């Protein structure tokens, strides 16, 4: 039996050198998501949130973009599409 992950994943593009700052801002915003990357040298970041915190995460992103304007939200993806 396959285990089902009950999470929502937001795919974000961000310069790799700003991933640490981005992670800190997400954590400082109440940890509404877990930040994960497949490769620290790439510009794709996964934000893994519970269904309960996903909407709050979406409302936080515009505030973070004030500090990191290079963020590009690529959209929600299915957990099966994650490459980690």
């Amino acid at each position: 039996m396959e285990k089902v992950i009950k999470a929502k994943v937001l795919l974000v593009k961000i310069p790799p050198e700003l991933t640490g700052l981005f992670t800190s801002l997400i954590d400082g915003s109440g940890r509404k998501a877990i930040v994960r990357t497949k490769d620290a040298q790439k510009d794709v970041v996964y934000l893994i949130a519970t269904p309960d915190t996903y909407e709050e995460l979406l409302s936080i992103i515009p505030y973070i973009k004030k500090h990191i304007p290079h963020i590009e939200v690529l959209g929600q993806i299915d957990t099966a599409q994650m490459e980690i």
Side-chain angles (χ1 to χ4, degrees):
M1 185 168 153
E2 187 176 319
K3 193 172 188 175
V4 177
I5 299 173
K6 295 184 180 182
K8 292 191 175 189
V9 181
L10 187 64
L11 190 61
V12 176
K13 188 173 181 180
I14 184 170
E17 65 273 11
L18 298 175
T19 302
L21 173 60
F22 180 70
T23 301
S24 296
L25 291 171
I26 290 291
D27 286 349
S29 297
R31 273 203 177 158
K32 302 299 179 190
I34 297 170
V35 180
R36 290 289 179 260
T37 62
K38 178 180 179 184
D39 182 348
Q41 304 305 314
K42 301 230 174 166
D43 60 357
V44 177
V45 174
Y46 300 98
L47 296 176
I48 307 166
T50 66
D52 296 339
T53 61
Y54 185 76
E55 293 301 321
E56 291 177 78
L57 174 64
L58 293 177
S59 69
I60 291 169
I61 297 295
Y63 294 107
I64 292 176
K65 283 181 88 165
K66 290 180 181 179
H67 301 284
I68 308 175
H70 311 301
I71 294 173
E72 181 182 348
V73 178
L74 301 176
Q76 184 179 347
I77 63 168
D78 187 78
T79 55
Q81 294 175 285
M82 291 176 57
E83 298 178 9
I84 56 173

